[in-house]
Amino acid sequence: MEEMFFDFDQDPTADFAFWGQMDPNFQFQPQLDNILLDCHSLTGQLSPWSSFACQSVFPDAQLTLTDLDSQPMQLEGAELDSSLAADEAHEFNNRLQCGLVPNHPYKVQRHAANIRERKRMLSINSAFEELRSYVPTFPYEKRLSKIDTLRLAIAYIALLREILLSGCDPKSYVDECMKNGYKNQTNAIWNTSGTDHLVW
DNA sequence: TAGGCCATCTGGTCCT
DNA sequence: AGGACCAGATGGCCTA
């Protein structure tokens, strides 16, 4: 996967890209709570993936949380376990009509568990999408994998923490990092899969 | 073609 | 007892 390397000196838009729409008169300390509580204000335009928050980007992922949550109960043609929720029942019926649902009681239970598991994974994935929208990436950066999302989120939090502790203006802090080479105190890694060194 | 990433299924374990 | 959570297995898709 492409590593997160960017030459800020070569691209005059880099600062803007990294910090989002930062006010030139930005005062860090009063704004810090906003940074931490509403990262969208800083990163909303950073990543092409931001707009995908809470929705799958995979064309074949046709089942969404909304789909699962909004379907009415339909019992026709199936003797459903009373423990099945409405959404599960709906998908159960759909699959029954497609001949995908087994008749054996154990298999019926297993099938319901599969549906619950799928729904659970969808909720996890939507959380990943939301987290991706907060992690700063560059426009050409391809979609972050789950593991990269977690690693970059850790690194980003570490950076914000260091800026906070430094008491410096965040932009000059980053500029300083550009000049002297970034040395963080937590060994947070600013790169994506496939590389094992710190890059800035 | 190999490797990375992902969704899905599955059985086991934990929790309410 | 049933649902939530977890990890392993498997197969599909994509890219270098």
Side-chain angles (χ1 to χ4, degrees), chain A residues 30-68:
Chain A
Q31 299 289 339
L32 184 60
D33 286 348
N34 288 340
I35 293 175
L36 297 177
L37 293 177
D38 187 9
C39 292
H40 269 118
S41 64
L42 285 174
T43 64
Q45 296 187 5
L46 295 183
S47 168
W49 307 108
S50 299
S51 61
F52 290 99
C54 299
Q55 85 181 41
S56 173
V57 298
F58 298 104
D60 57 338
Q62 296 174 348
L63 190 61
T64 66
L65 269 181
T66 304
D67 294 334
L68 288 171

Side-chain angles (χ1 to χ4, degrees), chain A residues 65-130:
Chain A
L65 269 181
T66 304
D67 294 334
L68 288 171
D69 284 333
S70 63
Q71 304 296 346
M73 177 79 82
Q74 293 179 347
L75 289 175
E76 59 194 38
E79 193 71 34
L80 294 179
D81 187 306
S82 61
S83 65
L84 286 178
D87 50 1
E88 296 172 10
H90 178 76
E91 189 179 343
F92 191 97
N93 273 286
N94 287 342
R95 288 182 166 234
L96 186 74
Q97 288 170 7
C98 297
L100 298 174
V101 177
N103 292 325
H104 191 280
Y106 169 77
K107 292 192 173 183
V108 169
Q109 204 169 23
R110 186 62 257 175
H111 192 76
N114 289 347
I115 295 172
R116 285 194 302 274
E117 176 67 6
R118 234 177 300 142
K119 184 179 176 181
R120 193 182 71 86
M121 293 307 298
L122 282 172
S123 73
I124 292 173
N125 289 342
S126 72
F128 266 103
E129 291 298 344
E130 187 174 1

Side-chain angles (χ1 to χ4, degrees), chain A residues 89-179:
Chain A
H90 178 76
E91 189 179 343
F92 191 97
N93 273 286
N94 287 342
R95 288 182 166 234
L96 186 74
Q97 288 170 7
C98 297
L100 298 174
V101 177
N103 292 325
H104 191 280
Y106 169 77
K107 292 192 173 183
V108 169
Q109 204 169 23
R110 186 62 257 175
H111 192 76
N114 289 347
I115 295 172
R116 285 194 302 274
E117 176 67 6
R118 234 177 300 142
K119 184 179 176 181
R120 193 182 71 86
M121 293 307 298
L122 282 172
S123 73
I124 292 173
N125 289 342
S126 72
F128 266 103
E129 291 298 344
E130 187 174 1
L131 183 58
R132 277 188 191 102
S133 73
Y134 288 119
V135 174
T137 57
F138 297 108
Y140 57 79
E141 181 85 4
K142 66 180 183 180
R143 180 178 180 270
L144 290 176
S145 68
K146 291 178 179 178
I147 185 67
D148 287 333
T149 300
L150 291 177
R151 285 175 176 153
L152 284 178
I154 291 169
Y156 187 43
I157 291 169
L159 172 67
L160 292 177
R161 181 176 181 276
E162 286 171 24
I163 292 173
L164 175 62
L165 292 176
S166 76
C168 299
D169 170 72
K171 188 173 182 302
S172 25
Y173 187 90
V174 172
D175 287 343
E176 196 63 24
C177 290
M178 294 304 103
K179 283 183 195 168

